[in-house]
Amino acid sequence: MSPTRTRLAVAAAAVLALAIPLAIRNADAATTPTTVKAGPAAATSFTPAQVLAGVQANMTTAKKVNSKPHINTMTRAQNVNVYQVAPGVYAYTSGLAIDTDGSDPDPDPDHQGQTTWSDSNGKALGAHHVPFYVLGDDCWDRTSPCPHFFYKEHNMTGRQFALMFYNGKCIGAIFGDTQTANNQTTSDNDSRELGEGSVKAAQLLGIPSSGTTGGVDNGVTVVMFSGSSWVVNGTNANLNDNIQAKVQTALDSLGASMGGTPPTTAPPTGNTFEAETGTLSAGGTFDSNHLGFTGTGFANTANAVGAYVDIPVTAATAGTKTLTFRYSDGTSAARPATISVNGTSRGTLNFPITANWDTWATASISVPLTAGTNTIRVTGTTAGGAANIDSVTIS
Ligand code: GCU
Ligand code: CA
């Protein structure tokens, strides 16, 4: 159940944008939530799964913005932090309490007619029509810089765009309402809270959206894009469409600024064969949760001696060829693997470590191939199994 909510309706004092942190490209139309791991991405587009993995990899102590923890609105636990995951982009993971406020009617006894921010016609936002998230209205400690994440210190204002991720879904949302300022005595809420969003945001994310019984305790990641170029304009009737139209642009912009390479749908040359066209021994999966792979994903074998991936390749002519594996090993130990062709072992190839799981390197070995289809098996010889294998190229 969402706690009692009382909010200070403040005038929408515009915070002047000082910088545009990320390049903007034309928005793709995307009005429905995008399912993570839904299948192959369009060329040069980042998938939600890739971007979420990159965001999570950047939610490190070194990138924490707040020095005192925020409060999870649903659970009241003081364990929510905000991280700068890329220039001008801030992320937190919390629960989601349901905000029913604004111009849409709602049976919630806590419902109020106002939201802190308005649509472009000056009307209170409608929680049933506009996916929005909620931030603290002021700095609880009344000091500057604020020991908590305070939007005014981060080039943010009303209707500031965010990506919201939950349970395989990715939607766009805007900053729509605020948690009570700390001079309000009528509420148990305070401005240190994080983790509230509108009825519409909950519906799009597949979270129960009732203001009295809905919400979820944890697992919602909100990634906020600062700067005036990320303020979304529109009315209660069309804001949702305008917001969702920015989702792919935001994924691509953030994916690129976190240092990833967009995936491609086709192999770079006709001699490159994607690992995900192959088969895995028990416990392996084809994944797409690390940045920079080609094709639609990569092979992640089980972590065990003998775990393998079989990759079918085609050679135009028989003869000795070089197999170049594109792989990643984000651990601190190399992942040597036996390379066999059509069931015959051709030696052990070392797969040295890479900087992290988003960084790809190559390792090569010469083997005889027959003309036509050959099956290349990569079998891990250590307890970690094989490295993550993206592709193999024949030359
Ligand atoms: C992590 C990583 C996987 C990798 C695995 C491993 O779980 O996300 O992609 O395959 O480690 O150690 O093999
Ligand atoms: Ca693995």
Side-chain angles (χ1 to χ4, degrees), residues 287 289-290 298-303 331 335 357 384 386-388:
D287 293 346
N289 61 334
H290 297 302
F298 56 85
N300 166 7
T301 72
N303 295 110
T331 72
R335 294 266 176 102
W357 292 110
N388 287 348

Side-chain angles (χ1 to χ4, degrees), residues 52 164-170 205-207 216 218-221:
L52 180 58
M164 292 179 77
F165 297 88
Y166 177 70
N167 195 23
K169 298 252 177 45
C170 172
L205 289 170
I207 293 170
V216 67
N218 275 300
V220 178
T221 297

Side-chain angles (χ1 to χ4, degrees), residues 131-133 160-164 171-175 201 232 243-244:
F132 62 74
Y133 61 95
Q160 199 79 47
F161 180 85
L163 292 169
M164 292 179 77
I171 66 163
I174 55 171
F175 178 21
V232 185
I243 293 164
Q244 304 315 325

